[in-house]
Amino acid sequence: MAINETALGEAARDLVKPRIHVSGPRPDLEFALLDASDIGDVQRRLSFPERLANNDAIRRAGILLFLVITWEIYARWLDNSLLFPTFTLTLKTFVGDLLDGTLVDRTRTSLYPLVLGYAGGILLAGLLTSIAISSRIGADILNTLTAMFNPLPAIAVLPLALIWFGLGTPSLVFVIIHSVLWAVALSTLTGFRSVPETLRLSGRNYGLRVAGYVAFVMIPAAFPAILSGLKIGWAFAWRTLIAAELVFGVSSRSGGLGWYVFEARSELDTPRVFAGLLTVIVIGLFVESVIFKSIETRTVQKWGMQR
Amino acid sequence: MESSSSGLVQVRNVTLQYKTTDHLVTATYKVSCTVQHGDRYVILGPSGCGKSTLLKAIGGFIRPVGGSIVVNGHEIREPGPDRMMVFQEFEQLMPWKTVLQNVMFPMQVAKKYTRSEVRDRALSAIDKVSLSKFAKVYPHMLSGGMKMRVAIARAMALEPDVLLMDEPFAALDALTRRKMQEELLSLWDQLRFTMLFVTHSIEEAIVVGSRILILSPHPGRVRAELEAGALSYAEVDSPAFGVLSKRIHTLLFEDEPKHAPEPASAAAGSH
């Protein structure tokens, strides 16, 4: 035992011993600068393919093209348009229904409660968050409500909405507001909370008070979080709407996109089901990559708040 | 030391306290000082002496528990553009505004100038800190030193009664810091504004300051107020600089005196 301990002690001492030879002073060195002209321009424009690969839109279009080709090849190999129609067939149905106005009509019917519910949800979220940042009890209220209602699927509220508002647009608007409100409020509050202290102090230093302070300091400073909340809210609204239409189908005379899909399914018209889903996807892609994308490049990206 | 009614900024027996989640912290205790027009008044002290808290109180962000702060004849109750603040952190600039817009914005809020005046004043302030080339650029494209220059330009364009600087160069690298100190001094030479400057660097205090207030730690109390107007970077190696620096060092780090208000070392170290 005792021998072991001394051995251990020696090993430890061994570790402390410097292993590196310390050299003496070394001579000072100065160099004439190398001629750097043979490397060409210090700043050079990237080649065309390199710049092409740096373009987001082109990369994403490439992904879409790949998906479409895979779809087409698989569907042709499967050769069962009842289960999985080809892309060309889907596109044909899509264009046909688009041209005879059916899809336009259905989309318009869907968009009306969607926009109404989305706007209502954002408005309410703004109101709730304003109360939440102005007082501690307000924040507690919002946090509790969000914790309660955010996990509650909008579809689960639909039966209640039908009892309260009946079959029709008001019920749809109600469930869409429910799905948008909590998501947007939560991320807006998070955004407000993460505004740097120095920026808040600067704003107050200028003499900004309540409304001006929120409008000119808090909202722009929290904009990345607010924008991502708006995106999530949009996706939630869209999903909720289609699902709600699938559940209770037609409202009075004209149904929306969900109803269009539902109807096609009951007629075993699979290409039309696909065309309906394609419409949902195309609108989603458009809003995401055109509307939100351009807001993003004009704001948070330009300001260097997001890459 | 006491000049009763004159003085641009008058701090009288100011006690400051702030709350953390489970403590009430006393930052400064009965601090009094007077800042005259055109002073480069430095508040120097070890970390935790409440120097930044004192500056924030003059800025109007914190209400004193006791005592009063009077700037230009008005007692301070809330933040305002007559006391523009330059912070240590770079994110004091609004990232959604260009350099020019950042400098213009507080003038627009204050409504002190006409629209064309605002633009001209902003451009000339940006020019004074030699950033004219970057007027249309967003802050995220600027280096730390440039952001600090914008913050200073923004504060000065508004012609505040007093410029409050909270360790403005602390986050900069040593070379940039020195350059910024020299630029600040040359700006002061041109414009002769009044500034309060918080730092924890003795060298910076002597170089930048014309008058140095030394606070003791926990809670901050006035330890001394010294004259330093004659010393700048040109005198760093001079004996006078060394003597003053040593004296400040002693005042800061000697054992806390129990009740002697006038320390013996102050007399011994004077020049």
Side-chain angles (χ1 to χ4, degrees), chain B:
Chain B
M1 183 175 158
E2 298 287 309
S3 50
S4 53
S5 60
S6 70
L8 179 64
V9 181
Q10 292 175 308
V11 177
R12 291 276 161 269
N13 291 318
V14 165
T15 300
L16 294 167
Q17 293 180 322
Y18 59 87
K19 278 182 197 155
T20 64
T21 38
D22 38 25
H23 292 284
L24 179 67
V25 181
T26 301
T28 67
Y29 182 71
K30 294 199 172 171
V31 169
S32 296
C33 62
T34 302
V35 180
Q36 303 291 347
H37 277 278
D39 265 352
R40 286 169 284 137
Y41 199 93
V42 172
I43 304 173
L44 175 68
S47 59
C49 73
K51 53 193 187 304
S52 286
T53 316
L54 180 62
L55 199 74
K56 287 208 173 92
I58 297 170
F61 297 107
I62 300 167
R63 281 278 190 90
V65 180
S68 69
I69 301 168
V70 175
V71 174
N72 213 4
H74 301 288
E75 187 162 348
I76 297 307
R77 296 191 188 283
E78 52 186 6
D82 55 327
R83 287 150 284 134
M84 283 297 282
M85 196 133 176
V86 176
F87 299 92
Q88 176 184 341
E89 293 83 6
F90 298 137
E91 69 252 32
Q92 59 189 304
L93 298 181
M94 298 178 159
W96 57 92
K97 288 182 186 295
T98 62
V99 167
L100 181 63
Q101 288 166 343
N102 257 296
V103 177
M104 283 165 66
F105 185 58
M107 289 192 273
Q108 289 161 344
V109 174
K111 298 192 178 101
K112 216 165 125 184
Y113 309 99
T114 64
R115 194 175 286 217
S116 60
E117 259 183 331
V118 165
R119 200 184 161 80
D120 293 345
R121 293 190 64 83
L123 285 171
S124 105
I126 293 168
D127 187 49
K128 282 205 182 74
V129 294
S130 42
L131 281 177
S132 295
K133 271 205 272 180
F134 297 90
K136 297 249 157 65
V137 159
Y138 285 90
H140 71 103
M141 321 265 284
L142 303 177
S143 70
M146 290 157 118
K147 284 181 195 168
M148 214 34 94
R149 284 203 193 98
V150 178
I152 292 170
R154 171 177 80 172
M156 282 193 322
L158 202 58
E159 287 182 314
D161 291 339
V162 54
L163 194 61
L164 306 175
M165 308 186 90
D166 187 5
E167 304 192 38
F169 307 146
L172 298 172
D173 64 280
L175 294 174
T176 315
R177 186 183 315 145
R178 177 165 173 168
K179 197 155 170 264
M180 294 292 297
Q181 288 163 352
E182 283 170 351
E183 285 181 12
L184 182 67
L185 286 174
S186 86
L187 269 176
W188 182 86
D189 261 340
Q190 294 170 45
L191 307 167
R192 301 280 162 163
F193 47 89
T194 312
M195 68 173 172
L196 256 110
F197 191 104
V198 163
T199 180
H200 56 242
S201 153
I202 296 175
E203 190 196 60
E204 185 168 71
I206 299 174
V207 169
V208 170
S210 62
R211 190 105 182 128
I212 303 175
L213 182 78
I214 298 169
L215 295 181
S216 73
H218 298 300
R221 283 147 295 169
V222 177
R223 187 76 184 82
E225 202 186 313
L226 307 174
E227 192 64 26
L231 298 167
S232 69
Y233 261 115
E235 286 85 30
V236 168
D237 295 325
S238 74
F241 198 101
V243 168
L244 184 58
S245 157
K246 191 150 189 185
R247 184 173 166 201
I248 293 172
H249 197 275
T250 318
L251 285 167
L252 282 175
F253 297 111
E254 74 188 337
D255 284 332
E256 223 182 310
K258 286 284 170 279
H259 28 246
E262 199 60 32
S265 61
S270 66
H271 41 278

Side-chain angles (χ1 to χ4, degrees), chain A residues 31-267:
Chain A
F31 301 97
L33 279 181
L34 284 175
D35 181 23
S37 56
D38 55 342
I39 193 121
D41 297 331
V42 178
Q43 201 173 343
R44 200 178 334 171
R45 201 169 154 79
L46 292 176
S47 69
F48 184 66
E50 279 174 314
R51 272 181 285 139
L52 215 59
N54 278 342
N55 188 324
D56 280 353
I58 286 175
R59 279 203 316 275
R60 290 182 71 169
I63 294 171
L64 285 181
L65 195 69
F66 173 77
L67 289 177
V68 163
I69 290 171
T70 317
W71 173 2
E72 184 70 24
I73 290 172
Y74 178 70
R76 274 174 194 241
W77 173 76
L78 200 67
D79 197 22
N80 184 345
S81 70
L82 196 63
L83 272 183
F84 202 91
T86 59
F87 174 70
T88 32
L89 189 58
T90 307
L91 199 66
K92 209 179 284 168
T93 322
F94 176 74
V95 172
D97 281 359
L98 201 65
L99 291 179
D100 75 10
T102 326
L103 264 177
V104 180
D105 197 44
R106 295 297 158 95
T107 307
R108 197 184 298 132
T109 314
S110 280
L111 282 180
Y112 175 66
L114 183 74
V115 169
L116 218 60
Y118 188 54
I122 291 169
L123 217 68
L124 276 174
L127 201 72
L128 269 181
T129 342
S130 311
I131 296 169
I133 51 164
S134 54
S135 71
R136 198 158 64 170
I137 190 78
D140 291 341
I141 292 171
L142 181 60
N143 277 325
T144 315
L145 288 179
T146 311
M148 278 162 62
F149 293 127
N150 202 23
L152 194 65
I155 285 304
V157 195
L158 189 60
L160 194 64
L162 290 175
I163 294 172
W164 284 349
F165 304 107
L167 211 65
T169 312
S171 293
L172 283 175
V173 173
F174 177 79
V175 289
I176 292 169
I177 285 181
H178 168 83
S179 67
V180 172
L181 170 60
W182 310 112
V184 174
L186 194 65
S187 48
T188 308
L189 187 66
T190 314
F192 280 171
R193 287 221 172 117
S194 60
V195 174
E197 183 63 17
T198 322
L199 212 50
R200 294 164 191 254
L201 292 179
S202 289
R204 288 173 58 200
N205 195 182
Y206 298 170
L208 288 169
R209 301 277 175 272
V210 199
Y213 180 66
V214 171
F216 296 125
V217 181
M218 296 303 274
I219 289 179
F223 205 65
I226 294 175
L227 195 62
S228 84
L230 290 180
K231 276 186 186 175
I232 295 170
W234 168 257
F236 279 11
W238 209 197
R239 274 188 223 181
T240 305
L241 174 76
I242 301 298
E245 282 182 349
L246 278 172
V247 171
F248 77 82
V250 66
S251 73
S252 56
R253 302 164 311 281
S254 59
L257 276 173
W259 177 244
Y260 174 86
V261 171
F262 187 79
E263 218 175 24
R265 185 208 64 98
S266 49
E267 286 162 18

